[in-house]
Amino acid sequence: MKRKAFGWSSLFCAGMVLMASCSSQSGNTSEDNGEASAPGDVTAYEPDSSTTYEIDWMPYITEPIDQDGKMVTYYEDKFNVDFNMVNVDHANIQELLNLKFASGEIPDVMLDGVSSDTIQQLVKQGVLLSLDEEVLKETMPDLYSKATELNPNWLEFAKVDDKIYGLPEMRDVYKYRTTIVWRGDWLENVGINKTPETLEEFEEALYKFTFEDPDQNGEDDTYGISLSGIPAIFGAFGYLPGYGPHDWQDWFWQERDGEMVFGAIQPEAKEALALLNKWYEDGVLDPEFITGENTGGYWALSHAFINGKIGFTGHGQYYHWNDELKNGDIGANYDEIQKISQEVADSLVHGLPPKGPGGMNLFAPNMLSGKIVGFSRYLEEEPQKLGKIFEILNHTSGTTKENNIEAVMGIEGEMWEENEDGIRKMLPEWEDVMDTGAGKFNLELGVFDLYEIRGDWAVEHGYDKGTLRNALFKPLPSESTYREELTKIRDEAYISMITGDQPIDAFDQFVEQWMNAGGDILTKEANEWYATLEK
Amino acid sequence: MKETSLGSRIFDFANILFMIILCCSTLYPFLYLLSMSLSPSTVSFAQIRIIPEALTLENYQQVLGYDYVIRGFINSLIRTILGTILMVAFTVAAAFVLAKKQFPHRRFWTMFIVMTMFFSGGLIPSYLLVKDLHLMNTVWALVLPGLVNAFQLIIARNFMMSLPEELEEAAKMDGANEIKILIKVIIPLSMPIIATLALWNAVGHWNQWFDSLIYMTDRDNDVLQVVMRRIVLQGNMEAMNGMMPQDSSNINPETLKAATVMVTTLPIICVYPFVQKYFVKGMMIGSVKG
C-alpha cells in the first residue's frame, strides 16, 4: 500500500513517470526533490484536489483502531484521503518503531513515539522530517496562530539544532499543580480543625497521624507521609528536586539569580533532606516510601492512602481525587475510597502545599506535555501529501471548538449528545466503542477549553495556587547521554540520606558526583539555551 | 525398605512443608485473580481476599461479550492448532530422517541444526524477512518463523533413535516403503514424544504475544494475549512510559482485567492434565539416550 502511494504521488509532484520509484522507498530521493524543496515555497504544499492521498497514520493507541472505524471513514470521506491506521502498541512503542525504522518503514504521521526524550535520537537516525516554520504558518494558519498565541515558545520544544522536527502537544489540564490531599476524618480525630498550611503545621499533623492513632483502631499502624508527599516538603524550602513518585517530574530546573539550576543539587534540598531524615528516624515517614504508594494497576492510585496507611498524599493529579462532578467525572482514587467508605471519601480535604522558608511550591507541568507529533522524512518528496496532512490537523485542532470536539468525541447527534446541563454525553451504543478513531486525528494543544467543569473544580480547590514550573522546556543536546545516570545518582543519594545510610553531609559529595557525571555539561547547555530565550 | 531414622524423617517433614509452602505461594496469585474476577466492581480491590465477599459472573459476561476478545480468542485458537499441527509434522519428519543411520552426512546436518541454537539472526532480520515475504498480518507470520525448533528436533531424533531398528527391518520385509514405515510404525510408537512436542508447542503458541505485536498491524489479527495485554496495561502504561500522564477519568477496571486474565489462561491450563502422562514419559525417554 505504502509503495503504491509513493508511486502515485511521486508521479504527481515530480511530473514524471518513474516506475522504478515503486521498487524502492529510499531509492527515489534523488529524482523527486527538484521542484518541491525550495524552502518557504508554500504553493508546493497545496494538495491536489483530484488525488486521493494514502496516509499512514499512527495514533497514540490505548486500543487499536479499526481501519473502517466510524471516524476513520468519516475523515476519509471529508478530506478525500485513504488512511492506513498504523496500530503500534504504546507500551513497546520504541522497540516496535525501531524495528519499523530499521526496515525502512516510517509512518507518515506519528502521534506517539516521538517525545522530548527521544526526539534527538530520532533526528540522528534521520527518521523525522524537518519542518519550515513559514510553511506551518501558511498551511495551518488557525492552528499555528492559536498555539503560538497560547505559548510563543511552542515550537522551541521540538527544535534540534535550530530546526523544527515536529509539533509539540500542549495540555490545558496542566495549568494545575500536583495534589495535596488530607484525610479529614483523621485530622479531626487527632484534634486539628484547620487544614495545615505552614511547614510546622504539616509536621505537627504528620506526627499526630503517626502516633495518635488517627484511625482509632487501637493499633500503631499508620504513618504520616510517604513518597508522594515528599515533593511538597522540598517545595517548602524553595527548590524541587524532582524526587517523587512520578518520573515525569524528575527533571526539574529553576532559575536562580538569572541562571538555570537543577533543583536537586541546591543547598535548600539538603535542609529538606535533613528534615526527612529526622521524620524517617522517628517513624513518621513510611519505611516503604522507596517503592511508593502504588502497588500496581492504574498508575494514579495511591493504595497506601486508600487502605488507610497514610492520611496525607500528593499522588496523581487533582482529577484523580475529585468527587463526582456534574458531567459524571469522578476521580479514580475518590472512587476507590468511596467503595470502602463514603464517609472517608466525603471527608477528603484538598489543601495547599506547606509554606516554608522558601515559600509554597509544588510541581505544575508546563503546558508542554513532552509529546511531539512527528512526520516521516519520506514526506519531503511529497509536499502535497504533507500539505494534506496539515490541512487535516488544522481542521481538527485549530479551526473551531466544534471541529475540535468532533475530532475528540465523534459526530454530534450520532455518537454523542449535549444534555440539558450543557454536558456532552456519549450515546449508549457508542459508550464502549473504543476503536472508532475518535481522538486520533487531533493534536492536543489546549487551545479550546474542553474540560470546563473539571477546571472550575480545580480552581475552586486551590490547584492554581503554589505552582512551580520547570524552567527548562527543551531537550538539551547531551540530555540523552547523561540524564538517566544522573537520575540514578540523585535517587540513590537521596534515599541513603533520608534513611540515614549516609550522613546528611554526604550531600556535598553527591553534588560533586552529580556534576562530574555530566551534570556540569547539562547545566552549561541549559544556560546557553536560557540565554537565547527572550525574556 | 523404608528409611525411618530421625534425621531422614525430619528431612522428609521439612521437604513436605517446603513443598506445601511453595504450592501455596504459586497458587496464591492465581486464586487472588480468580477471586478478583468474580467480584463485582463495586467492591474495592483493597477488600478483595481469597474468599470473595460477593460473587458475580458479570465480569466474565462482559469480557466474553466483547468482540475484540472473541476475535483474539479465535485468532489464538487458529494459530495454536495450525502451528502445533505443522510444527509436529515437520519436526517428526525431520527427526525421522536424522535418526536414520544410513542418512548421508548425518553428523554434519545434525551439527548444522544444533548450531542454530547458538546463533540466530536477531529481531530485525527476522522482521525484514517476514515483511519481504509479505507475511505481515497473516497467521503465517506467527507460525512459519519458528516452525522447527532445533532443540525439539534433537529430542525427537533421540527418541526415534532409541526405537529398535529391527522393527523397521521387519516392516521393510513386509514390503513397506519409508513413508509407510514412518506412518505405520514410527509414529504410533512415538506417541509420547509427539504428545510432548504438541504440548510444548500448543502452550508456546498460546502464550506467545510478541510476534503478534510486531507482525500484526490490523486489530482484527491480534491474538488473545495481545488483547489481554492491552486491557491489562490500560491505565498504568502512562506511568511506565515516563511521559506526562494522559488526561484520563479512568475508573479502575481491575476486576475486568482479572477476568480477562482468567479467560486467557484457563483454556491452556485445562490442556495440561490430559497430556501430563505423555509429557513426563516423552521427556524421560527422549533425554536418556544422548
Side-chain angles (χ1 to χ4, degrees):
Chain A
M1 281 209 276
K2 169 108 193 174
R3 284 187 194 155
K4 221 198 303 171
F6 252 94
W8 277 114
S9 31
S10 49
L11 194 131
F12 274 96
C13 70
M16 51 184 164
V17 189
L18 236 179
M19 291 319 281
S21 74
C22 296
S23 62
S24 148
Q25 288 177 356
S26 45
N28 57 0
T29 319
S30 49
E31 286 96 343
D32 278 351
N33 54 8
E35 200 174 323
S37 60
D41 181 8
V42 177
T43 49
Y45 294 88
E46 191 88 21
D48 184 278
S49 57
S50 60
T51 316
T52 306
Y53 294 99
E54 208 170 314
I55 302 172
D56 291 344
W57 194 281
M58 189 182 82
Y60 172 100
I61 53 165
T62 44
E63 185 136 332
I65 307 306
D66 198 332
Q67 299 293 354
D68 303 316
K70 182 84 197 164
M71 293 312 289
V72 179
T73 47
Y74 178 77
Y75 282 124
E76 279 178 346
D77 293 343
K78 193 176 184 98
F79 293 105
N80 182 30
V81 289
D82 187 3
F83 286 120
N84 172 29
M85 302 305 287
V86 184
N87 292 311
V88 180
D89 192 71
H90 172 79
N92 287 65
I93 187 123
Q94 293 314 330
E95 204 174 354
L96 297 175
L97 271 185
N98 282 336
L99 261 185
K100 286 194 187 294
F101 296 156
S103 73
E105 220 179 304
I106 309 175
D108 293 324
V109 182
M110 291 170 272
L111 284 128
D112 193 6
V114 187
S115 69
S116 54
D117 300 338
T118 59
I119 187 165
Q120 290 176 42
Q121 206 183 347
L122 293 176
V123 169
K124 249 183 245 162
Q125 289 173 1
V127 169
L128 297 177
L129 177 71
S130 76
L131 307 169
D132 184 9
E133 192 158 353
E134 262 328 288
V135 173
L136 294 179
K137 203 188 268 180
E138 295 294 329
T139 51
M140 296 192 283
D142 304 298
L143 193 147
Y144 181 85
S145 64
K146 287 198 173 91
T148 317
E149 197 180 313
L150 205 62
N151 186 346
N153 290 320
W154 175 53
L155 287 167
E156 190 68 30
F157 196 56
K159 274 188 188 165
V160 176
D161 299 334
D162 287 331
K163 275 191 187 157
I164 304 164
Y165 283 96
L167 306 175
E169 291 206 321
M170 302 189 275
R171 300 227 167 93
D172 65 348
V173 284
Y174 292 162
K175 282 181 209 141
Y176 310 109
R177 62 166 165 81
T178 43
T179 324
I180 295 287
V181 178
W182 296 89
R183 259 185 79 156
D185 59 334
W186 282 23
L187 285 175
E188 205 173 295
N189 289 346
V190 298
I192 297 173
N193 316 317
K194 175 172 150 285
T195 313
E197 279 173 14
T198 63
L199 196 56
E200 290 72 34
E201 285 167 356
F202 264 64
E203 187 164 17
E204 187 198 342
L206 299 177
Y207 270 77
K208 285 190 167 171
F209 276 6
T210 312
F211 300 115
E212 296 187 9
D213 194 21
D215 54 358
Q216 296 181 333
N217 66 351
E219 281 170 53
D220 180 19
D221 57 356
T222 52
Y223 294 97
I225 184 173
S226 190
L227 182 60
S228 73
I230 288 178
I233 306 306
F234 278 100
F237 288 90
Y239 288 85
L240 291 183
Y243 178 70
H246 306 306
D247 47 12
W248 34 271
Q249 306 180 14
D250 73 8
W251 195 237
F252 206 84
W253 295 75
Q254 279 164 265
E255 194 195 296
R256 179 169 207 148
D257 308 326
E259 294 266 306
M260 289 280 275
V261 293
F262 191 64
I265 55 165
Q266 298 313 303
E268 285 82 355
K270 188 177 172 182
E271 294 167 43
L273 284 168
L275 183 64
L276 288 168
N277 171 245
K278 178 174 155 253
W279 290 358
Y280 181 83
E281 271 163 18
D282 290 347
V284 173
L285 178 59
D286 179 0
E288 286 176 30
F289 81 94
I290 298 161
T291 48
E293 299 166 31
N294 178 285
T295 54
Y298 185 45
W299 68 272
L301 291 173
S302 168
H303 297 81
F305 190 92
I306 295 165
N307 293 332
K309 195 176 162 199
I310 50 172
F312 163 68
T313 187
H315 204 82
Q317 295 281 58
Y318 73 90
Y319 54 80
H320 295 116
W321 294 93
N322 62 264
D323 50 16
E324 191 155 0
L325 302 179
K326 219 162 50 161
N327 58 353
D329 196 359
I330 187 167
N333 281 296
Y334 186 93
D335 190 41
E336 283 301 326
I337 295 167
Q338 201 182 27
K339 285 180 194 166
I340 301 172
S341 160
Q342 181 64 47
E343 282 142 50
V344 176
D346 286 339
S347 79
L348 292 186
V349 176
H350 294 260
L352 296 173
K355 221 177 266 160
M360 174 178 85
N361 305 299
L362 248 189
F363 180 87
N366 291 309
M367 281 196 78
L368 294 157
S369 66
K371 254 180 84 180
I372 297 165
V373 175
F375 302 91
S376 160
R377 78 170 161 94
Y378 293 136
L379 285 171
E380 197 178 353
E381 295 131 39
E382 296 177 275
Q384 292 178 316
K385 185 160 137 187
L386 185 64
K388 193 76 191 177
I389 292 168
F390 286 161
E391 182 190 324
I392 297 169
L393 290 176
N394 188 49
H395 173 86
T396 58
S397 318
T399 45
T400 63
K401 188 168 173 176
E402 284 69 36
N403 288 341
N404 191 226
I405 292 172
E406 184 177 82
V408 173
M409 293 193 69
I411 303 154
E412 184 175 6
E414 199 174 327
M415 293 165 75
W416 57 274
E417 262 174 1
E418 205 168 283
N419 68 13
E420 59 278 6
D421 295 330
I423 289 154
R424 298 180 290 272
K425 277 261 178 214
M426 290 308 272
L427 290 170
E429 65 267 35
W430 290 98
E431 220 158 39
D432 294 327
V433 187
M434 304 270 291
D435 59 345
T436 54
K440 307 300 175 193
F441 293 97
N442 58 298
L443 301 183
E444 265 195 86
L445 289 171
V447 294
F448 303 111
D449 190 5
L450 303 181
Y451 302 98
E452 306 96 332
I453 297 172
R454 202 190 256 188
D456 292 346
W457 189 93
V459 173
E460 200 181 301
H461 289 81
Y463 277 102
D464 53 344
K465 297 195 185 78
T467 57
L468 188 61
R469 290 175 207 280
N470 195 348
L472 177 79
F473 46 86
K474 186 188 188 312
L476 297 171
S478 319
E479 193 173 313
S480 52
T481 320
Y482 301 115
R483 181 169 159 181
E484 208 180 320
E485 180 64 20
L486 290 175
T487 307
K488 215 174 92 195
I489 292 174
R490 181 202 62 194
D491 287 354
E492 276 171 11
Y494 271 43
I495 291 169
S496 61
M497 280 184 271
I498 292 173
T499 57
D501 283 351
Q502 284 196 45
I504 295 300
D505 288 330
F507 187 81
D508 306 324
Q509 201 187 322
F510 150 69
V511 173
E512 202 178 308
Q513 196 192 356
W514 191 90
M515 277 297 187
N516 291 339
D520 49 351
I521 297 169
L522 293 181
T523 307
K524 199 168 140 263
E525 287 177 354
N527 278 301
E528 278 165 9
W529 166 78
Y530 196 59
T532 64
L533 270 195
E534 293 167 33
K535 278 167 228 140
Chain B
M1 219 21 228
K2 217 175 158 199
E3 190 76 46
T4 49
S5 76
L6 184 66
S8 98
R9 264 183 294 164
I10 290 174
F11 177 72
D12 281 350
F13 177 75
N15 233 344
I16 291 168
L17 194 73
F18 175 71
M19 284 313 286
I20 289 173
I21 293 170
L22 196 70
C23 286
C24 291
S25 61
T26 27
L27 270 180
Y28 178 81
F30 194 74
L31 289 177
Y32 180 78
L33 266 184
L34 184 68
S35 148
M36 194 140 109
S37 71
L38 288 169
S39 301
S41 58
T42 49
V43 173
S44 163
F45 60 84
Q47 293 165 319
I48 289 174
R49 303 273 174 271
I50 287 291
I51 295 151
E53 283 164 43
L55 284 178
T56 175
L57 286 175
E58 215 178 284
N59 298 314
Y60 286 92
Q61 274 169 1
Q62 219 168 329
V63 168
L64 293 173
Y66 188 28
D67 64 339
Y68 187 36
V69 174
I70 301 299
R71 262 270 25 119
F73 199 92
I74 293 168
N75 288 335
S76 271
L77 212 60
I78 293 172
R79 167 204 184 147
T80 305
I81 293 171
L82 188 71
T84 308
I85 291 174
L86 284 180
M87 203 152 170
V88 169
F90 277 75
T91 306
V92 167
F96 179 62
V97 175
L98 284 180
K100 292 239 171 227
K101 290 226 167 66
Q102 68 270 32
F103 178 57
H105 308 300
R106 190 173 70 138
R107 274 195 90 78
F108 169 76
W109 290 115
T110 313
M111 284 314 291
F112 194 70
I113 287 164
V114 169
M115 231 172 65
T116 64
M117 289 168 68
F118 300 102
F119 306 100
S120 75
L123 194 57
I124 291 173
S126 312
Y127 179 80
L128 285 173
L129 180 68
V130 170
K131 190 172 159 250
D132 290 344
L133 290 172
H134 298 287
L135 299 178
M136 300 283 284
N137 274 317
T138 65
V139 68
W140 300 112
L142 310 179
V143 171
L144 291 184
L147 195 58
V148 176
N149 176 304
F151 172 70
Q152 296 181 9
L153 178 58
I154 302 296
I155 289 205
R157 179 194 85 124
N158 289 351
F159 183 91
M160 287 182 190
M161 278 168 73
S162 71
L163 298 174
E165 245 172 286
E166 290 75 13
L167 283 173
E168 230 176 281
E169 277 166 25
K172 251 185 205 153
M173 298 283 250
D174 292 339
N177 59 14
E178 297 288 346
I179 303 274
K180 222 169 194 155
I181 292 173
L182 176 64
I183 293 168
K184 293 268 159 145
V185 180
I186 305 290
I187 289 183
L189 285 171
S190 305
M191 274 336 263
I193 195 70
I194 289 177
T196 307
L197 292 179
L199 182 69
W200 270 342
N201 294 317
V203 175
H205 271 300
W206 186 268
N207 287 336
Q208 180 69 264
W209 55 273
F210 191 67
D211 50 0
S212 168
L213 206 61
I214 301 173
Y215 300 130
M216 301 299 171
T217 53
D218 222 335
R219 79 193 289 273
D220 285 347
N221 295 324
D222 285 343
V223 298
L224 189 57
Q225 302 295 339
V226 170
V227 174
M228 179 190 86
R229 220 178 88 84
R230 289 227 158 95
I231 295 176
V232 172
L233 282 185
Q234 240 174 57
N236 59 353
M237 56 190 176
E238 283 83 19
M240 289 166 46
N241 185 252
M243 286 215 303
M244 287 298 187
Q246 186 90 340
D247 144 64
S248 154
S249 58
N250 203 323
I251 297 186
N252 180 38
E254 295 298 325
T255 53
L256 212 63
K257 289 180 186 175
T260 320
V261 174
M262 293 310 289
V263 166
T264 47
T265 323
L266 277 179
I268 206 69
I269 288 179
C270 292
V271 176
Y272 264 98
F274 299 103
V275 208
Q276 172 72 14
K277 56 177 178 180
Y278 293 108
F279 192 55
V280 175
K281 219 164 136 198
M283 282 277 275
M284 291 292 286
I285 296 171
S287 60
V288 170
K289 196 176 173 188

